[in-house]
Amino acid sequence: MLDKTKKDWWKSAVVYQIYPKSFQDTTGSGVGDIPGIIRRLDYLQTLGIDVIWLSPVCASPQVDNGYDISDYRDIDPMFGTLADMRRLIAEAKRRGIGIMMDLVLNHTSDRHPWFVQARQGRENPYHDYYVWRDGQPGRLPNGMQAVFGGPAWEWVPEVGQYYFHQFAPQQPDLNWENPAVRREIYDMILWWMDQGVEGFQLDVIDQIAKDPDLEITCNGPRLHEFLRELSTETFQKGCLVTVGEAWGADIPRARLCSAPDGSELSMVFQFEQMVLDQQPGKEKWDLAPLPFVKMKQSFARWQQGLHGCGWNSLFLNNHDLPRIVSRWGNDGAYRVRSAKLLAIMLHGMQGTPYIYQGEELGMTNIRLPIEQYQDLEIRNFYQKRRAEGCPEEEILRSIYAKGRDNARTPMQWNAGPGAGFTTGTPWLPVNPNYREINAQAEMADPDSVFACYQKLIALRKRYPVFVEGDFALHEAEHPRLFVYERSLGEEKLLVVCNFGDEATPWKAPDPWKNAQVLIENCPRQEGALQPWEARILYCGKQ
Ligand code: GLC
């Protein structure tokens, strides 16, 4: 168990993300719930994780699956009650697991009482909680577009103004310039800290300091001022782990956000590697092959760029990204081996690893008929491209590759009906491959993807070089090998990954010839690495 009174305890922690809607249903509603998470805590303890990041469970009309909150201090009835939540926090704590809540602070739901008031009139004290601009019906303040498509402005006749929304119209942006808004947010966070949560994930946090007149949404001029105030008023009063979602972060900015003095956050999610397989300057839907050499060099830059002066988060999946084994691995003949390679490649690095539910089983993408998709981003994208005359097959190809519902299909617990997720009809179909890919089968198999994750987590706890070591990229230009070295005094690791369906000649360089193998994903052969082979070598004290 980690010593969580130590300021930087989260540097040795492994976080597991739960998307509650798809994790475990206990009522037959087809939607996962908090009692379901409690039921699966033993599973998570067996895996070895330290923190659960819970995607939003607060009261919400669910326009964007809970990222549209209507009451920050209550639980959505679909997931249970506040009493269930308190029980989850206590039961998790008993197993040495902390709960990380998802804070959606950039916007609320349009049904939040603040917004209901705000739209009643310009004189209402809540009006200034949101971002408004004058205008006339049909004459938008400017041409800004929302992330989910359509204009970022919505007209409210009662006040004769437009409000600003970076996401869906039902997600009005909060006005962080207003100190009263910030105070409300801090009080709410302190209240959650009192409930015993041990961390927070901050949704789209780099978008809070916007200036719509200058068309600035990301990295606005007051961003770091706001983050420092937020941290002083809340997080620094406890010993918390915090991670901010920051699509716009580069290395210098991530250094500020994750400064070792704790003045802002523990770390950010940056997406530099995750946008490499799209056409530069285009939407994520505009697919491009993964530029492998760029990918590993980008990881190397971040590893070195934050070493000693910031902290990385390590992730390949979340609820917004397609399944990594289908994306960068091979989810056919080499599914198991490539899923393990991806895990080894990531968990050998410096940073706090995040495992997204089902990743530890090697769960894959899904292909559904268009009417079965639930995600509003997918639906909006489909309609827009259809209207532009784009052929159906091409649109579907993008959705199969990048749609967010790939990550949101129910957790595959066993080979029984509903994959053990629900006795009812799941809100999003279960992937038909649940008969082969499921937790029960993998827990019984010492060679499973699950066993590999379990082992990687244990290794990180045992050898300080995983947490503290520096990073050097080997074979920087090699088109298939991703090889890197970590070192901490006399302790050294060499992580070797053969990325692809072909064998690649390779011999361990000198100091590594007789090194101990900490983990590997297939039998070794002299002089070559097998397709998708990966291993971690170790030199140092025993
Ligand atoms: C973040 C969330 C995503 C959500 C969006 C708006 O990007 O991860 O799921 O749709 O914010 O809140």
Side-chain angles (χ1 to χ4, degrees):
M1 242 188 239
L2 294 178
D3 174 8
K4 291 189 180 157
T5 57
K6 223 179 96 209
K7 192 173 131 272
D8 294 346
W9 62 268
W10 37 265
K11 290 192 173 170
S12 333
V14 177
V15 184
Y16 185 92
Q17 184 190 356
I18 290 183
Y19 197 67
K21 218 173 161 180
S22 302
F23 195 61
Q24 176 68 66
D25 174 21
T26 58
T27 63
S29 65
V31 170
D33 46 48
I34 293 174
I37 300 173
I38 297 172
R39 189 193 284 177
R40 296 297 183 181
L41 285 172
D42 290 341
Y43 168 82
L44 297 175
Q45 193 178 18
T46 308
L47 181 59
I49 56 101
D50 308 285
V51 175
I52 294 172
W53 158 21
L54 264 191
S55 277
V57 288
C58 289
S60 161
Q62 303 291 334
V63 169
D64 186 21
N65 284 352
Y67 284 93
D68 47 321
I69 292 178
S70 54
D71 186 348
Y72 288 103
R73 299 186 194 215
D74 204 0
I75 299 299
D76 196 281
M78 175 169 101
F79 295 130
T81 61
L82 203 50
D84 292 328
M85 186 65 197
R86 292 192 174 117
R87 202 154 54 86
L88 170 62
I89 294 169
E91 285 291 322
K93 197 166 274 180
R94 214 160 57 75
R95 293 166 176 83
I97 298 175
I99 299 291
M100 177 191 268
M101 287 286 283
D102 211 315
L103 284 175
V104 189
L105 306 178
N106 176 69
H107 45 267
T108 69
S109 160
D110 61 343
R111 311 262 196 90
H112 193 290
W114 299 340
F115 191 72
V116 173
Q117 295 269 332
R119 62 179 302 153
Q120 282 172 3
R122 296 186 191 197
E123 305 315 315
N124 191 293
Y126 288 97
H127 184 259
D128 196 36
Y129 272 42
Y130 294 86
V131 180
W132 300 90
R133 290 295 179 269
D134 295 342
Q136 280 162 14
R139 285 253 312 273
L140 304 174
N142 59 29
M144 291 175 83
Q145 293 288 301
V147 175
F148 296 151
W153 298 103
E154 195 75 9
W155 176 249
V156 177
E158 299 93 295
V159 288
Q161 284 181 312
Y162 284 92
Y163 69 84
F164 181 64
H165 62 90
Q166 298 188 58
F167 296 89
Q170 298 91 339
Q171 294 168 298
D173 271 51
L174 282 165
N175 177 17
W176 274 70
E177 302 288 330
N178 180 349
V181 169
R182 304 206 297 275
R183 190 68 252 163
E184 295 258 20
I185 287 174
Y186 306 154
D187 289 345
M188 175 273 287
I189 294 175
L190 291 170
W191 183 82
W192 274 111
M193 285 166 65
D194 276 348
Q195 309 304 308
V197 306
E198 292 178 20
F200 294 101
Q201 195 280 142
L202 293 86
D203 185 59
V204 292
I205 198 66
D206 56 354
Q207 291 172 225
I208 56 173
K210 52 228 139 204
D211 186 342
D213 298 325
L214 300 178
E215 307 213 357
I216 295 174
T217 51
C218 201
N219 298 332
R222 298 186 69 187
L223 176 62
H224 296 282
E225 176 197 334
F226 290 158
L227 284 176
R228 285 187 202 119
E229 185 185 279
L230 166 66
S231 172
T232 316
E233 293 290 330
T234 61
F235 312 141
Q236 289 178 40
K237 298 184 194 291
C239 211
L240 298 179
V241 52
T242 52
V243 51
E245 186 191 22
W247 285 83
D250 56 10
I251 293 173
R253 194 171 295 279
R255 272 192 207 130
L256 282 178
C257 292
S258 66
D261 64 2
S263 54
E264 296 191 14
L265 304 170
S266 313
M267 65 196 112
V268 292
F269 291 129
Q270 56 82 17
F271 292 86
E272 188 177 295
Q273 298 84 32
M274 288 297 134
V275 298
L276 286 172
D277 53 3
Q278 75 190 38
Q279 292 172 33
K282 296 268 191 75
E283 288 186 278
K284 73 173 185 187
W285 308 106
D286 299 306
L287 311 178
L290 174 69
F292 173 75
V293 172
K294 270 200 183 141
M295 179 273 278
K296 61 182 182 174
Q297 293 178 352
S298 161
F299 271 117
R301 244 182 298 110
W302 278 85
Q303 286 288 299
Q304 288 161 347
L306 296 191
H307 181 71
C309 56
W311 194 250
N312 272 293
S313 66
L314 304 172
F315 69 99
L316 296 170
N317 285 277
N318 67 29
H319 62 292
D320 294 329
L321 301 173
R323 293 283 180 182
I324 198 65
V325 68
S326 302
R327 186 180 186 182
W328 290 2
N330 173 335
D331 65 5
Y334 292 111
R335 184 188 66 84
V336 170
R337 208 190 281 175
S338 66
K340 290 180 186 174
L341 173 141
L342 290 159
I344 291 171
M345 174 194 99
L346 192 74
H347 286 242
M349 294 188 204
Q350 185 175 39
T352 300
Y354 289 74
I355 301 169
Y356 177 71
Q357 66 182 45
E359 176 185 341
E360 78 282 14
L361 306 176
M363 276 177 63
T364 66
N365 281 354
I366 195 169
R367 294 177 176 208
L368 294 172
I370 188 66
E371 58 290 350
Q372 287 186 27
Y373 284 103
Q374 300 291 323
D375 179 23
L376 90 168
E377 188 188 50
I378 293 181
R379 293 180 176 197
N380 290 350
F381 162 71
Y382 179 83
Q383 274 159 12
K384 177 166 162 267
R385 291 273 165 112
R386 282 306 279 162
E388 289 166 4
C390 189
E392 169 108 17
E393 319 78 69
E394 200 182 301
I395 306 177
L396 284 174
R397 215 176 318 125
S398 294
I399 294 173
Y400 297 157
K402 291 287 181 74
R404 304 196 296 182
D405 280 344
N406 282 308
R408 300 177 181 184
T409 61
M411 183 68 180
Q412 295 166 203
W413 292 108
N414 58 45
F421 163 69
T422 182
T423 54
T425 308
W427 71 279
L428 183 68
V430 174
N431 194 313
N433 62 21
Y434 73 94
R435 287 186 197 80
E436 300 85 58
I437 306 174
N438 63 70
Q440 193 178 36
E442 296 206 20
M443 287 177 84
D445 172 4
D447 280 331
S448 63
V449 180
F450 179 88
C452 174
Y453 273 88
Q454 203 179 26
K455 191 157 181 193
L456 284 168
I457 296 170
L459 287 171
R460 174 167 289 266
K461 303 264 147 82
R462 169 144 180 224
Y463 297 96
V465 59
F466 278 91
V467 177
E468 305 290 344
D470 64 12
F471 180 101
L473 186 63
H474 289 213
E475 314 266 10
E477 301 294 333
H478 195 290
R480 280 204 300 278
L481 293 184
F482 191 167
V483 181
Y484 62 85
E485 185 171 332
R486 303 279 314 280
S487 82
L488 178 70
E490 51 184 299
E491 256 202 319
K492 286 185 195 313
L493 299 174
L494 191 72
V495 181
V496 185
C497 303
N498 180 28
F499 228 91
D501 289 350
E502 290 163 63
T504 304
W506 185 79
K507 274 204 172 95
D510 228 356
W512 298 99
K513 281 214 173 73
N514 299 312
Q516 185 190 344
V517 179
L518 293 184
I519 190 165
E520 60 193 329
N521 67 351
C522 67
R524 255 165 284 159
Q525 269 181 24
E526 198 42 40
L529 295 166
Q530 301 310 296
W532 298 105
E533 177 167 350
R535 68 174 88 125
I536 301 183
L537 306 177
Y538 176 81
C539 292
K541 353 181 223 266
Q542 283 314 300

